[in-house]
Amino acid sequence: MGCDGGTIPKRHELVKGPKKVEKVDKDAELVAQWNYCTLSQEILRRPIVACELGRLYNKDAVIEFLLDKSAEKALGKAASHIKSIKNVTELKLSDNPAWEGDKGNTKGDKHDDLQRARFICPVVGLEMNGRHRFCFLRCCGCVFSERALKEIKAEVCHTCGAAFREDDVIVLNGTKEDVDVLKTRMEERRLRAKLEKKTKKPKAAESVSKPDVSEEAPGPSKVKTGKPEETSLDSREKKNNLAPKSTAANESSSGKAGKPLCGATKRSIADSEESEAYKSLFTTHSSAKRSKEESAHWVTHTSYCF
């Protein structure tokens, strides 16, 4: 049963105690959050976007996720709150001039400094490596350190000058408490957007229906109360009374059109008090009239005789 040849077992070999909880390396966790995409687990490359909960993604990975939402993807739960491309914001990041990347590590024997980050805060100069809290603005996508926003208090973005509110500030890779606060804000924002859409729809329907009503009844509607028999008799009498009036009006209008008005008299231009130059423009003037000698015969009439 073992222990042959004079071997002496120790206590930990015979008695199995509780398993030790594996601790996650903080440095490795920070590198994974700030340098890799949450969806595809690939290195972050521009264009980089962030969701309303402060997680970083490659834009290509988000588009692929929205086009193909298959249940086989285990990492789809991390982006289940992203319903469309409008739910993410493209980030405007400032490059770190001291970051070399893999340029100097061609042989693979160079030490990688995990504290060195690709991007920095454009105001204070802090590196975006997870040691300092960073946030971005939903309205413009500019990224700053939280220290810069606290030291330089303003209601306008420090780089592009766009106005923002407190709700537009979203912490990148925040704690669980920060994520809970951002989730409640996100839900409230989406509820507000739905209510605004619902209020806009009835207004649009009213604007479409108003011109139809005005065409049908341009004047004020008058409702008569009474028995249906009385109303039908009154309508018939009105129609009979209106018929002779309309015929008389038509006859009078036709008579007026056919006969000239008795008060109207023809006025000749020769009798008017206008100047002679103005009168000579008309054929009734004496200069326009020709004598029998000047008038041409029908045989000899040509355009060259005059």
Side-chain angles (χ1 to χ4, degrees):
M1 297 297 293
C3 299
D4 298 344
T7 56
I8 301 170
K10 294 180 181 179
R11 184 180 182 279
H12 71 274
E13 293 177 354
L14 299 173
V15 180
K16 293 182 179 179
K19 292 182 179 180
K20 292 182 180 180
V21 179
E22 295 181 358
K23 293 182 180 180
V24 181
D25 188 8
K26 290 184 179 179
D27 294 334
E29 188 178 2
L30 291 174
V31 169
Q33 285 182 349
W34 293 92
N35 294 331
Y36 292 88
C37 173
T38 309
L39 262 179
S40 61
Q41 299 299 317
E42 296 178 357
I43 294 174
L44 289 171
R45 59 183 182 274
R46 285 191 169 112
I48 299 170
V49 297
C51 65
E52 293 174 304
L53 301 181
R55 294 167 185 160
L56 298 172
Y57 308 90
N58 287 327
K59 194 172 183 179
D60 300 339
V62 175
I63 293 169
E64 289 176 4
F65 168 74
L66 293 173
L67 293 174
D68 182 21
K69 292 183 179 180
S70 59
E72 297 175 358
K73 294 183 179 180
L75 298 171
K77 295 179 181 179
S80 59
H81 60 283
I82 300 175
K83 306 298 181 184
S84 68
I85 198 68
K86 293 180 180 179
N87 298 139
V88 295
T89 306
E90 189 171 344
L91 301 180
K92 298 175 183 177
L93 298 162
S94 302
D95 293 324
N96 185 5
W99 187 74
E100 296 180 356
D102 296 333
K103 293 178 182 178
N105 193 11
T106 55
K107 296 181 181 180
D109 57 352
K110 189 178 179 181
H111 172 68
D112 293 331
D113 189 5
L114 298 176
Q115 301 299 323
R116 192 71 65 190
R118 293 170 57 191
F119 309 109
I120 59 171
C121 173
V123 180
V124 184
L126 295 174
E127 294 186 357
M128 200 172 76
N129 54 9
R131 301 290 179 183
H132 309 282
R133 287 169 65 87
F134 272 73
C135 51
F136 75 96
L137 305 179
R138 285 184 63 253
C139 56
C140 59
C142 296
V143 181
F144 305 99
S145 62
E146 197 174 41
R147 186 188 298 179
L149 290 176
K150 287 181 179 179
E151 290 181 359
I152 306 171
K153 293 182 179 180
E155 296 179 354
V156 177
C157 178
H158 300 310
T159 56
C160 64
F164 67 92
R165 298 176 296 177
E166 291 183 2
D167 296 341
D168 295 332
V169 180
I170 295 176
V171 180
L172 289 170
N173 292 326
T175 59
K176 290 183 179 180
E177 296 175 356
D178 295 332
V179 172
D180 293 338
V181 173
L182 292 173
K183 193 176 285 185
T184 53
R185 285 184 186 175
M186 179 183 69
E187 291 172 357
E188 290 175 359
R189 202 180 296 117
R190 291 183 180 180
L191 281 173
R192 254 182 277 141
K194 285 183 181 179
L195 291 173
E196 286 177 0
K197 282 184 180 179
K198 287 181 180 178
T199 53
K200 283 179 181 178
K201 284 181 180 178
K203 286 182 180 178
E206 287 176 3
S207 63
V208 172
S209 61
K210 277 181 182 178
D212 297 339
V213 173
S214 62
E215 287 176 2
E216 290 176 1
S221 60
K222 296 179 181 179
V223 181
K224 292 184 179 181
T225 58
K227 295 180 181 179
E229 295 177 356
E230 293 178 359
T231 54
S232 61
L233 290 171
D234 294 338
S235 62
R236 287 176 185 173
E237 289 178 359
K238 284 182 179 179
K239 286 179 181 178
N240 294 328
N241 293 331
L242 288 171
K245 289 181 180 179
S246 61
T247 52
N250 292 329
E251 289 175 359
S252 61
S253 61
S254 61
K256 286 178 182 178
K259 297 178 182 179
L261 296 171
C262 58
T265 56
K266 290 183 179 180
R267 183 183 175 189
S268 63
I269 296 168
D271 299 335
S272 63
E273 297 178 357
E274 302 293 338
S275 62
E276 290 294 328
Y278 179 75
K279 292 177 182 179
S280 64
L281 297 173
F282 299 93
T283 56
T284 56
H285 193 257
S286 59
S287 62
K289 294 178 180 179
R290 294 174 180 175
S291 61
K292 291 181 179 180
E293 297 175 355
E294 292 177 354
S295 60
H297 192 263
W298 65 274
V299 178
T300 60
H301 175 69
T302 57
S303 56
Y304 300 105
C305 293
F306 303 99

